[in-house]
Amino acid sequence: MRVSLILLSLLILSSCSKSEQAASGAGKELIASSIYGGDRVEEGKWKSVVSISKLNYKDEVTTSFCTGTLIDKKTVLSAAHCFKRVKDYYLRSAAITLDNIDAKERSFIRIKNVRIHPDYTGENSASDFALIDLESEANVSDDEILPIYTSTDYEKGQDVELVGFGKTEAGTNGIKFEVSTQIREDLQIEFSAGGNGKDTCAGDSGGPLFIKNEEGVFALAGVTSRTPDDANSYCGDKTIYGKAAHAMKWIESERLIDKALALNSKESIDVLKLAAKSFRKYYKVYQHLGEYYLKFSMHELAESALLKAIILRKDDKRSLDLLRELYSVTGDIDKEITILKRLLFLSPGEESYFLRLDFFGQTSEAEIARGLGRFRSGDIHMARADLELHRDNSRAAFVLSFCEFKSRNYEEAKIILNSIKEDIPFVDIRDSRGDSFLMAAVFEGEEEIVRELLRFKPNLEVKDSYGNNLAQIAWWAKEFSLVKLMASLGVEWNANDYFQQFIYFIQGERISEVRFFLDMGVDINLVGPKGERAINLARETGNLELIKLIENYGKE
């Protein structure tokens, strides 16, 4: 029963610097600096701290873009946000070096692999960790590689050392700096440190924060992540660091996975079980467990492991493909069909999935799944070609309507929506930009389509990539009737947050906009930054209609 429910849910689903976002945030003081308020590191000190630098076409080390710390001679721990490009770029055009940029000779070691912590979800995310495998060993001794700080409890005021290769005030980068400061706050799997002009800054991302352990030895305790929103400045106040002890649970799991793959035998299963104990919610462990169980015909265990992997990462195509293979081997056609639909949705260009579904007599379902996948990947023209054939299917019709909407065929989109009479389980499907149908319709001000979509009971809590809710999206699009509609449905929108715009509309004698704000409950007794009051500004215009409107509102 549990397996059937999971498969049913899959079918429904188918039907470098510290954070750049922080750097561009409002009110941030952008300072080109290294370890802010620090000093250049003496030769031979902090040997485990490395620069992650670019290579030019001559294979010469150029600028440093992030910092990292050797945790053994062939492995560097750094920050995930340092690696935003495709992995091949870093294997080809980046390397690690122990040398400062002004050294007479600079050697480097190429990057063999980059692994990103599975819980990292992008800027402002915790678990901002990256593991860098090197092509060869770094020229450091075992004693120069510092231990990991094993405690996960951090005390305010605790002394720490920050080290990094970030930009200097002179505009250069690639020189190792250090500074002493203190812990600010413990944030569970992260913590903050710095202040009073002592901080990490641009280019120090991924670099270490060291704390003395119980033996009095400096240990790697933190990995530089990002400037928090409440910092007074981008550099010099405080920074958020990921706890190294938290990262090590994942790293231990990765190392055990490597060992299991190297063994490539039945013994691999026991090693992978140890990996699961080290880091329990890691889809990759269960993916490989499922693969080895399948290899040794342990079918029930294979199914259980692969379903766990998919629950942890629903778009894990490798686990889905292994599950498809398992159902093919065991002759479970219904389950194989379910997985094939999901795979075709995720990989609409994979002809083998389509042909296999066609072989099972599922041509229509294959065309629908492929059409949904094509829409998701941004291929609107080809999605329409698949979905147009199946207007009688509610899933196909709904997404076909979205296709027409994105092609600005609003009347056709409305006609198709009107033709759908049954509930749809996935009305919040996103396009390739991440916009839901409802979100897009609100922004475009298509009120009739918005009202039509509301009958499908969509999620009203959706937000765009800037964090705006549906009422805020309508506001920025100046669709006032939709702001009122969304607010009436419980979507948060506070007129007083936009008091400055209210003042602007009064001064511009824009009666309809002023009436909108009054209807939305703006407090006319608020005072602007220069002492402006709504009624006084209205009187200054001499517009009797505007004055009467605001005065009457005040009397109410």
Side-chain angles (χ1 to χ4, degrees):
M1 180 64 180
R2 176 176 169 79
V3 170
S4 299
L5 287 173
I6 293 170
L7 292 175
L8 178 61
S9 68
L10 287 172
L11 180 56
I12 291 172
L13 282 168
S14 71
S15 325
C16 238
S17 56
K18 292 192 292 185
S19 172
E20 290 178 9
Q21 186 172 345
S24 60
K28 297 295 181 192
E29 181 183 354
L30 300 182
I31 304 170
S33 173
S34 65
I35 290 286
Y36 197 63
D39 300 300
R40 182 169 177 149
V41 173
E42 296 177 2
E43 188 70 27
K45 188 179 180 184
W46 305 120
K47 286 290 293 292
S48 64
V49 183
V50 301
S51 164
I52 306 171
S53 300
K54 295 179 182 179
L55 295 177
N56 65 17
Y57 71 98
K58 296 179 181 179
D59 270 355
E60 296 170 335
V61 184
T62 58
T63 55
S64 175
F65 61 88
C66 272
T67 303
T69 311
L70 288 161
I71 57 174
D72 62 49
K73 291 185 179 183
K74 292 190 70 173
T75 313
V76 173
L77 178 59
S78 187
H81 77 260
C82 291
F83 301 94
K84 297 176 182 177
R85 299 194 185 193
V86 296
K87 185 188 295 184
D88 284 350
Y89 169 82
Y90 300 102
L91 307 190
R92 181 182 67 252
S93 302
I96 72 106
T97 179
L98 281 69
D99 303 319
N100 288 318
I101 196 169
D102 57 357
K104 290 183 179 179
E105 294 184 9
R106 300 184 75 197
S107 60
F108 66 86
I109 304 171
R110 285 191 175 277
I111 294 171
K112 182 179 182 181
N113 192 19
V114 177
R115 317 183 202 206
I116 303 300
H117 195 288
D119 293 341
Y120 179 71
T121 57
E123 290 180 351
N124 287 331
S125 165
S127 300
D128 188 3
F129 302 117
L131 197 62
I132 306 169
D133 301 319
L134 304 179
E135 289 280 6
S136 57
E137 291 188 352
N139 184 26
V140 295
S141 67
D142 291 335
D143 291 342
E144 290 168 330
I145 296 176
L146 300 179
I148 303 297
Y149 190 66
T150 56
S151 175
T152 55
D153 295 324
Y154 293 69
E155 296 181 6
K156 183 177 180 179
Q158 198 169 355
D159 291 332
V160 299
E161 294 288 324
L162 311 176
V163 187
F165 280 85
K167 290 182 180 178
T168 67
E169 282 129 2
T172 60
N173 70 359
I175 297 175
K176 193 184 300 184
F177 272 68
E178 64 181 342
V179 71
S180 301
T181 185
Q182 291 81 38
I183 299 289
R184 291 279 288 270
E185 184 180 6
D186 193 330
L187 304 168
Q188 294 185 332
I189 62 174
E190 297 182 300
F191 63 98
S192 63
N196 298 319
K198 297 180 178 181
D199 189 19
T200 46
C201 197
D204 294 319
S205 279
L209 176 148
F210 294 111
I211 295 176
K212 282 189 176 179
N213 60 21
E214 292 179 352
E215 287 77 39
V217 175
F218 276 113
L220 174 60
V223 175
T224 307
S225 179
R226 62 197 182 279
T227 300
D229 291 337
D230 62 347
N232 294 324
S233 61
Y234 179 50
C235 302
D237 186 18
K238 61 181 175 180
T239 292
I240 293 176
Y241 299 83
K243 292 182 179 179
H246 173 63
M248 290 309 295
K249 295 178 181 179
W250 161 63
I251 292 169
E252 178 62 21
S253 182
E254 285 282 3
R255 285 171 167 166
L256 287 167
I257 290 172
D258 289 345
K259 181 179 178 181
L261 296 179
L263 286 169
N264 195 26
S265 67
K266 210 165 187 178
E267 293 177 58
S268 301
I269 292 172
D270 290 331
V271 177
L272 288 167
K273 287 179 179 178
L274 290 175
K277 289 181 180 179
S278 177
F279 190 54
R280 291 187 179 279
K281 294 184 178 181
Y282 193 13
Y283 78 97
K284 193 187 290 185
V285 174
Y286 298 105
Q287 177 197 99
H288 289 300
L289 265 174
E291 186 172 11
Y292 280 105
Y293 283 137
L294 179 58
K295 182 176 181 178
F296 296 107
S297 300
M298 302 163 76
H299 294 154
E300 288 188 12
L301 291 171
E303 182 180 47
S304 177
L306 292 170
L307 287 172
K308 281 182 182 177
I310 295 164
I311 289 169
L312 291 169
R313 181 161 294 191
K314 67 179 185 296
D315 291 350
D316 178 20
K317 288 186 278 189
R318 176 60 179 157
S319 293
L320 284 163
D321 210 27
L322 287 166
L323 200 56
R324 177 205 59 77
E325 183 183 340
L326 169 65
Y327 294 142
S328 178
V329 168
T330 58
D332 196 328
I333 293 174
D334 289 342
K335 289 180 181 177
E336 185 182 356
I337 287 172
T338 298
I339 298 302
L340 281 167
K341 290 176 186 176
R342 180 65 180 162
L343 281 166
L344 191 56
F345 170 72
L346 294 173
S347 302
E350 183 55 62
E351 189 69 13
S352 63
Y353 300 145
F354 186 93
L355 293 175
R356 183 69 171 167
L357 282 166
D358 185 54
F359 172 78
F360 287 131
Q362 298 287 317
T363 308
S364 294
E365 288 297 321
E367 287 171 343
I368 291 170
R370 187 173 63 184
L372 297 179
R374 284 172 165 172
F375 173 83
R376 178 176 177 267
S377 64
D379 191 347
I380 303 299
H381 176 73
M382 294 303 292
R384 186 190 282 116
D386 272 330
L387 300 173
E388 181 66 46
L389 303 170
H390 305 285
R391 286 194 178 212
D392 57 333
N393 181 285
S394 60
R395 294 175 298 153
F398 186 86
V399 178
L400 179 62
S401 176
F402 202 170
C403 289
E404 296 295 348
F405 181 90
K406 287 176 67 65
S407 300
R408 310 191 78 80
N409 300 324
Y410 299 136
E411 282 303 313
E412 181 65 16
K414 188 171 65 176
I415 290 170
I416 296 172
L417 279 179
N418 279 324
S419 72
I420 302 171
K421 303 304 179 185
E422 57 192 271
D423 290 339
I424 302 169
F426 63 100
V427 293
D428 296 318
I429 189 171
R430 302 280 184 129
D431 63 16
S432 57
R433 294 195 319 170
D435 292 336
S436 72
F437 197 169
L438 179 61
M439 189 187 301
V442 168
F443 184 79
E444 292 293 339
E446 291 297 315
E447 188 169 348
E448 288 187 40
I449 292 179
V450 168
R451 291 184 180 277
E452 190 64 33
L453 288 169
L454 288 174
R455 73 182 174 90
F456 298 111
K457 299 179 177 61
N459 177 15
L460 297 178
E461 300 302 315
V462 295
K463 294 183 179 181
D464 64 13
S465 57
Y466 301 100
N468 295 311
N469 65 31
L470 291 167
Q472 291 166 326
I473 291 167
W475 159 252
W476 292 116
K478 295 298 181 283
E479 299 296 338
F480 300 130
S481 63
L482 286 176
V483 177
K484 290 181 180 180
L485 175 59
M486 291 300 139
S488 73
L489 296 171
V491 179
E492 184 180 351
W493 198 86
N494 185 351
N496 293 330
D497 292 341
Y498 306 95
F499 188 72
Q500 283 293 100
Q501 285 91 341
F502 177 54
I503 290 173
Y504 169 78
F505 289 144
I506 292 173
Q507 291 174 318
E509 301 179 50
R510 295 167 64 168
I511 302 291
S512 61
E513 284 90 344
V514 171
R515 183 175 285 109
F516 161 75
F517 268 94
L518 295 174
D519 290 344
M520 294 304 294
V522 69
D523 183 355
I524 61 169
N525 294 315
L526 290 177
V527 180
K530 298 179 181 179
E532 312 98 314
R533 290 181 179 274
I535 188 60
N536 292 340
L537 291 174
R539 287 167 180 162
E540 287 176 9
T541 66
N543 186 316
L544 295 179
E545 181 183 1
L546 180 61
I547 296 168
K548 185 177 180 180
L549 180 63
I550 294 177
E551 284 181 340
N552 288 342
Y553 181 88
K555 291 174 183 177
E556 294 174 1

